[in-house]
Amino acid sequence: MSRHLMNRRSLLKSGASAGGLALAGSVIGTPLIAQTRSLKVASYGGYFENSFKEHVFPAFTAATGIEIESVTQPNSTDWLVTMQQATAAGTVPTDLSLYARDTMIKASRLGGLISPLDMAAIPDASNLDGYFIFEDGTGPIGVGALSWFSAMVINPNEVSAPASWADFWDSSVYEASLGLSKNYNSQLLDIIAATFFEGEATFATEDGIVALIEKAAELKPNVALWWTAESQMEQSMKNGDVIGGQYYHDVAQLMAADGFPIQSIFPKEGNPQDYGSWCLSSLSDKGAEAAEFINFTSQPSTQALMSRMIGTAPLVDASVTDLTPEEFASVSGSPVIRPAYEAYLDKETFIKESWDRMLAGA
C-alpha cells in the first residue's frame, strides 16, 4: 500500500516558497553543538531522498550537531525484507527506516526488527495525533513522519465537482471515463467502505469484503483506465482520455497549477490518507540520536518545512504551523479516510484473489 514517492518530479516547483527558504536559512545559522555524533537515516530514493538531503538533514544537523548519513530504501515492503535479512546477519545498513503503517505492523508481527522508542526523549511527538504513534506489545515502535492523500479528481472542463464518491457510479455521467488504481490495496475498497458501508468495520468479515468488491465491480463500465503507475493516470488526465478518478492530491494540485484540466476534491466521505513512520532498527545503538531526529521532524516548523520542500502533508494540525491556507490545501485536506491496514494483512490472500477475479470478470 505504500506509495513510491520518487516520481513526484515537480513538487519543488511550487514547494520552494519564500517561507520555507527563510525557515531553512534561519536554522542553518544555528551554531553546531556536537559534531561527532551521527545517525543513518533511510528514506525512499530518488527525488524524495534528495529533498531530505537538501532541506531536512542539514537543518537537523545545524540544530543539533548530529551528522546524518542518508541511506536509500526502495520502498517499505522491499526494505523490510532487506532489513530482515540484515538483522539476521547481525549488521544493518541504517539506524532509522521509513515504514508505511502496513509494513510497520508486519515488522511488529515478525518481531525482533524494531526497537521501542524512548518517548520521553521525543516530547514534540505530542504535536501529532495519537493515531500516528504506533505501539505494539514492546512499546511505541513508530512515530509518524509525513503523509500523503489519494484523492478524488475530475476534469472541471468536463464535469461538475461531485459531492460524493457515489457519483462515480453514475454511468450517465462517467461511462468509460474514469481512471482508477488496479492494485487491490490502493484504497479504492476503503473509499467504497466509507461511502456505502460501515467503513473499516466492513473488512471484518469475508462477506463484508465480498460486498465491497461487488460494489467495485459495478464501477467497471465507468472505468477507462485501471492504472498501475502514477504516470499512466497523469498522462490520461492530460490527454483527456479520462475525466476523473483516483489520484494523488499533491500531484494533482501541481498539474492544476501548470494549467492542466484537473481538480482535486475532498468529497463528503473524505479521501484516504497514507503515511510513513520512523522506526529504529533493533541492532542500532543510536537510540538517543534517533530520538532527537524524530523529535525534530515532529515539530510543527519541520512539518511545515517538509510540506513546502517535499510536498508531504503535515501530521500536525495546520493551525500550529505557519503554512498559509493555500500551502496547506496544496498538500492536505479533510475529511480523512483511514485505510483498513490490518485487514489487508490478515486477509491479504482472500482480498487479492477476490479482487483479481473481479477485474478478470469472473
Side-chain angles (χ1 to χ4, degrees):
M1 196 181 298
S2 59
R3 179 184 178 187
H4 297 216
L5 291 164
M6 53 279 259
N7 292 329
R8 300 193 302 166
R9 76 285 178 260
S10 57
L11 292 177
L12 278 175
K13 291 200 305 183
S14 65
S17 71
L21 291 172
L23 174 60
S26 65
V27 176
I28 290 171
T30 305
L32 298 181
I33 300 171
Q35 298 187 32
T36 58
R37 303 171 72 197
S38 64
L39 182 70
K40 293 181 180 178
V41 179
S43 57
Y44 308 129
Y47 163 81
F48 189 81
E49 181 186 5
N50 290 337
S51 297
F52 257 95
K53 289 164 67 176
E54 183 175 359
H55 303 293
V56 179
F57 295 158
F60 171 71
T61 299
T64 66
I66 299 173
E67 297 287 344
I68 296 293
E69 179 180 338
S70 183
V71 177
T72 303
Q73 69 173 82
N75 57 59
S76 296
T77 302
D78 293 341
W79 189 243
L80 178 60
V81 175
T82 298
M83 292 297 288
Q84 191 175 5
Q85 295 170 343
T87 302
T91 180
V92 291
T94 188
D95 299 298
L96 278 180
S97 292
L98 192 57
Y99 287 154
R101 187 178 177 102
D102 54 348
T103 305
M104 185 169 50
I105 294 172
K106 186 178 292 185
S108 171
R109 293 179 178 182
L110 290 170
L113 301 178
I114 301 176
S115 284
L117 298 167
D118 178 8
M119 296 306 293
I122 313 175
D124 284 311
S126 62
N127 292 304
L128 279 59
D129 185 305
Y131 174 76
F132 299 113
I133 312 297
F134 184 82
E135 296 190 26
D136 66 2
T138 65
I141 62 167
V143 173
L146 44 86
S147 72
W148 56 91
F149 285 87
S150 175
M152 167 186 275
V153 296
I154 60 156
N155 181 331
N157 297 334
E158 298 290 339
V159 290
S160 300
S164 167
W165 281 99
D167 291 15
F168 274 178
W169 273 254
D170 184 351
S171 293
S172 69
V173 179
Y174 293 102
E175 184 176 11
S177 62
L178 296 177
L180 300 175
S181 175
K182 189 176 184 180
N183 296 327
Y184 73 97
N185 59 356
S186 61
Q187 302 168 349
L188 179 60
L189 293 179
D190 299 286
I191 291 168
I192 293 172
T195 303
F196 297 102
F197 298 93
E198 298 176 354
E200 186 176 351
T202 316
F203 288 82
T205 65
E206 290 190 354
D207 286 345
I209 292 167
V210 169
L212 294 173
I213 293 175
E214 287 177 344
K215 195 66 183 178
E218 295 176 9
L219 264 177
K220 290 175 69 174
N222 292 354
V223 179
L225 169 71
W226 290 100
W227 56 270
T228 56
E230 290 183 41
S231 58
Q232 294 173 305
M233 182 60 177
E234 176 183 337
Q235 198 58 49
S236 292
M237 286 298 298
K238 288 179 177 178
N239 294 343
D241 295 335
V242 298
I243 62 171
Q246 174 191 9
Y247 197 45
Y248 294 110
H249 172 71
D250 47 13
V251 182
Q253 296 283 75
L254 290 166
M255 288 174 61
D258 284 343
F260 292 104
I262 186 169
Q263 180 180 357
S264 182
I265 300 163
F266 276 74
K268 66 180 183 181
E269 299 87 4
N271 287 320
Q273 180 184 30
D274 209 346
Y275 75 100
S277 294
W278 298 119
C279 296
L280 178 65
S281 165
S282 61
L283 297 187
S284 174
D285 60 359
K286 297 294 183 69
E289 289 84 357
E292 287 196 54
F293 180 77
I294 297 171
N295 194 61
F296 177 78
T297 61
S298 299
Q299 294 168 3
S301 59
T302 309
Q303 288 285 309
L305 174 66
M306 290 192 289
S307 293
R308 291 185 174 113
M309 310 309 284
I310 306 177
T312 53
L315 293 179
V316 300
D317 193 280
S319 64
V320 301
T321 73
D322 65 348
L323 293 171
T324 66
E326 292 76 17
E327 288 175 326
F328 180 75
S330 71
V331 295
S332 191
S334 64
V336 169
I337 297 173
R338 288 181 170 167
Y341 293 105
E342 299 208 15
Y344 283 108
L345 293 174
D346 294 339
K347 300 179 174 65
E348 180 178 10
T349 300
F350 179 78
I351 296 174
K352 185 177 187 308
E353 290 180 353
S354 301
W355 176 263
D356 289 343
R357 281 198 300 273
M358 182 276 290
L359 288 180

